[in-house]
Every structure is written in C-alpha cells, then in structure tokens.
Amino acid sequence: MALAPRTPKIGLALGSGSARGWAHMGVLKALDDAGIKPDVVCGSSIGALVGAAYAAGELDRFAEWTQTLNMRSVFGFMDFKLSGGMLKGEKLIDFWRRNFVDFDIESSAIPFAAVATDLHSGAEVWLREGSMADAVRASIALPGLFTPVQRGGRLLVDGGLVNPVPASLARAMGADIVIAVDLNADLIQRHMRPLGVVAPVSDTMGALDAAEAQGEVVAAQNAVWLERLRGWMPGPRSPDVPPSAQMPSLLDVVMTSVNIMQMRITRSRMAGDPPELVIAPRLAHLGLLDFHRAKEAMDEGYAAAQAALPGLQHFGWKAVQA
C-alpha cells in the first residue's frame, strides 16, 4: 500500500557560539524571505536565546534591540559574582522578562526546546516545559562565566558542552528536514593564528574611557567586574616580542579550549545524525563578548543562509527554487 504524501516538517537547530549567535537572526531572516517557516525550533546556549525570541514572536523587536547594544550596555548586563561563575546572569534574564514575552514552553505557538548539561552527571538535558526564560538561562550558563542553574533537582550549565548544534533534538521533536546552524565551523582559522592577537586591555579600557568622556558613564556596579576583567584579558604587548611568543590571557585559553571542544563534538554528533542542511556563517573574526557587533553577525548569517538554501532543492522545496 502506497504511503499518502504529506508536507515534511522543518526543524531548525540553532547552535552555540556566544556573541556569534546574533548571526542566527540573519539566518531566520533569510529563511523567512525564502518562504520557509520552521515547524519546530530548538537551540543550544545563545541559539536557545534567539530561538526563544523567534518562538515567542519577538524576533524583529529582539533584533532591533541587539543592534542598539554598545560596549557600555553590554558591560551593564554583567553582574559579578564570587562563586560558581564570573556572572550571575540574572540581569539579562530579568531584562528579558520585563521587555519580551515569557511563558510556558508548552504553550508556544512554535514547538521549542533548549539544551542544557547536567553538571553532575554530564547528561544532555532537553528543556521542553516550564518557563522559557528559565530554560534559556540554563542553556546559556557557560561554565566559568555564568553561574549554574538549579532546575528540577539538577545543576545545569551550557548546552553547548554536550550538543553544540542540536540537530538530534530537532529530529526528536518530529522534524523530517533539519536545518542546522553551526556558528563554530570556521573557528579553526582563528585558532591557527596566535591566541593572543586581540586588542590589549589598554585599548579596550581606552574605548570605555572615550565613551565615558562623551557622557556614557559605566555603571558603578560594574567597576569591580571590570577590575577583575583586567586579569582575564591580555595586557599591553611589547613591540620587541613577536605575537607567536606572547602568552595568551586566561580568557583566551579558556574560550579557545571550549571552542575546540565544541567544534569536535559538533562534527562527531552531526556525523552520527547528519542534518539535511548545514548553514555555517563565517564568524571567526567575532570574539566572545562582541555582542555590540550584532549587525555584522546578522549580515554573515543572512549571506550564509542564502548560499546554503539551494541545497534544499534535493528535498523538493520549491520556495528555494524560485
């Protein structure tokens, strides 16, 4: 007996990548322009945050807000903590609750899920119920940077540790065609250069001083955090020492290690359960905390999606063929 034809269900898996995650909004814009409406959306880390904005119908307003960010406003979301991680992360989530929609995931018009990691067992945790904001907060809890989250008797951290591009979760949510967005695909190019080749602290603080001189005063509560940040960021470099001999900062070492781990895990996971389409924006030039460069990231995401979408022709997606 022949199977009755049906419209395939499209699943979108948005990957981890810190500030590079703003590229997801460019990808979603390209999908919308092509007439492609995902039936399910899931995300890991920053992908969970953007995916939640999309599932809540807030993506346009969220994208507008990210493009208003500057260095001062990014630092303003940082609430320093002495244990568990450098940042509590509560300012960001409180801002989300005040300015965007927060509701139970089960009532989302577009099925949504976020990935987190159980810090004790190392198990992958799929967050598919309860507060959307709470699920996002758990999924973005990058170890060492954000404090872990207590949820359901578990201590949860960043989902990118176990499933950086959650194509398998999209499949489990019923997707027939999975579109995966990998933000870390080209980072090997960054890591093949000397780790320490970034702006020194004196340059970073100089930019903040310039902003302060123009009336953009850094909030007093961030002063302690910024002082500790000096110890994490590379200091001024001697012109007599070649870049390859410079010692990278602690932040460089930690984040490069996380990026390498996520690249390797992503390749392994997608080899075992490959998505039908991978969109891989070129984002190696963006750093961990470059949240103020949203427009650049979105443009890269849009361009990468436009280049990749013709691959859906193999699955008979006519909207892309036009």
Side-chain angles (χ1 to χ4, degrees), residues 246-314:
Q246 301 281 3
M247 182 60 66
S249 72
L250 175 59
L251 188 60
D252 276 325
V253 172
V254 171
M255 294 316 303
T256 297
S257 301
V258 170
N259 287 335
I260 291 172
M261 175 194 71
Q262 291 188 351
M263 281 189 294
R264 297 298 183 185
I265 293 173
T266 298
R267 291 178 182 180
S268 177
R269 294 293 299 260
M270 290 203 297
D273 186 6
E276 280 64 40
L277 185 73
V278 177
I279 299 173
R282 301 182 65 83
L283 301 166
H285 60 290
L286 295 180
L288 166 71
L289 298 178
D290 284 345
F291 291 101
H292 59 289
R293 300 170 67 180
K295 183 64 165 58
E296 293 178 58
M298 285 189 277
D299 288 346
E300 292 291 347
Y302 189 89
Q306 281 196 315
L309 284 177
L312 288 182
Q313 292 180 7
H314 300 293

Side-chain angles (χ1 to χ4, degrees), residues 59-72:
L59 187 67
D60 289 342
R61 201 158 65 88
F62 187 71
E64 290 177 5
W65 170 73
T66 61
Q67 293 179 74
T68 68
L69 293 174
N70 53 31
M71 292 180 68
R72 172 183 173 271

Side-chain angles (χ1 to χ4, degrees), residues 43-285:
S44 185
S45 194
I46 192 69
L49 177 60
V50 176
Y54 180 78
E58 296 276 7
L59 187 67
D60 289 342
R61 201 158 65 88
F62 187 71
E64 290 177 5
W65 170 73
T66 61
Q67 293 179 74
T68 68
L69 293 174
N70 53 31
M71 292 180 68
R72 172 183 173 271
S73 54
V74 170
F75 282 125
F77 281 107
M78 297 179 179
D79 41 5
F80 187 78
K81 185 175 176 63
L82 295 176
S83 62
M86 290 184 67
L87 308 173
K88 291 185 291 185
E90 298 308 319
K91 281 189 176 182
L92 176 61
I93 296 303
D94 287 345
F95 177 86
W96 172 274
R97 288 194 173 100
R98 290 194 310 270
N99 295 276
F100 300 98
V101 175
D102 181 27
F103 49 81
D104 286 345
I105 294 173
E106 304 94 309
S107 62
S108 175
I110 301 175
F112 169 79
V115 180
T117 304
D118 186 318
L119 187 60
H120 291 146
S121 68
E124 179 178 343
V125 180
W126 292 350
L127 304 175
R128 303 181 62 176
E129 59 185 24
S131 165
M132 186 171 284
D134 289 346
V136 169
R137 172 62 182 88
S139 188
I140 66 173
L142 186 65
L145 188 61
F146 286 105
T147 55
V149 172
Q150 293 274 4
R151 183 181 170 109
R154 287 173 153 173
L155 198 59
L156 302 180
V157 293
D158 196 295
L161 299 181
V162 290
N163 200 351
V165 184
S168 56
L169 175 53
R171 193 86 65 194
M173 295 171 70
D176 301 298
I177 297 176
V178 175
I179 301 173
V181 185
D182 183 1
L183 303 177
N184 302 316
D186 71 332
L187 289 187
I188 192 65
Q189 300 172 16
R190 181 185 182 120
H191 302 320
M192 291 178 71
R193 299 194 296 270
L195 289 178
V197 183
V198 297
V201 165
S202 57
D203 293 346
T204 304
M205 299 311 295
L208 291 174
D209 291 340
E212 183 174 355
Q214 297 173 5
E216 293 190 359
V217 181
V218 178
Q221 62 266 34
N222 294 322
V224 174
W225 192 94
L226 290 173
E227 285 302 312
R228 284 162 174 76
L229 183 62
R230 291 175 189 268
W232 279 60
M233 296 291 284
R237 288 169 168 69
S238 170
D240 300 325
V241 180
S244 59
Q246 301 281 3
M247 182 60 66
S249 72
L250 175 59
L251 188 60
D252 276 325
V253 172
V254 171
M255 294 316 303
T256 297
S257 301
V258 170
N259 287 335
I260 291 172
M261 175 194 71
Q262 291 188 351
M263 281 189 294
R264 297 298 183 185
I265 293 173
T266 298
R267 291 178 182 180
S268 177
R269 294 293 299 260
M270 290 203 297
D273 186 6
E276 280 64 40
L277 185 73
V278 177
I279 299 173
R282 301 182 65 83
L283 301 166
H285 60 290

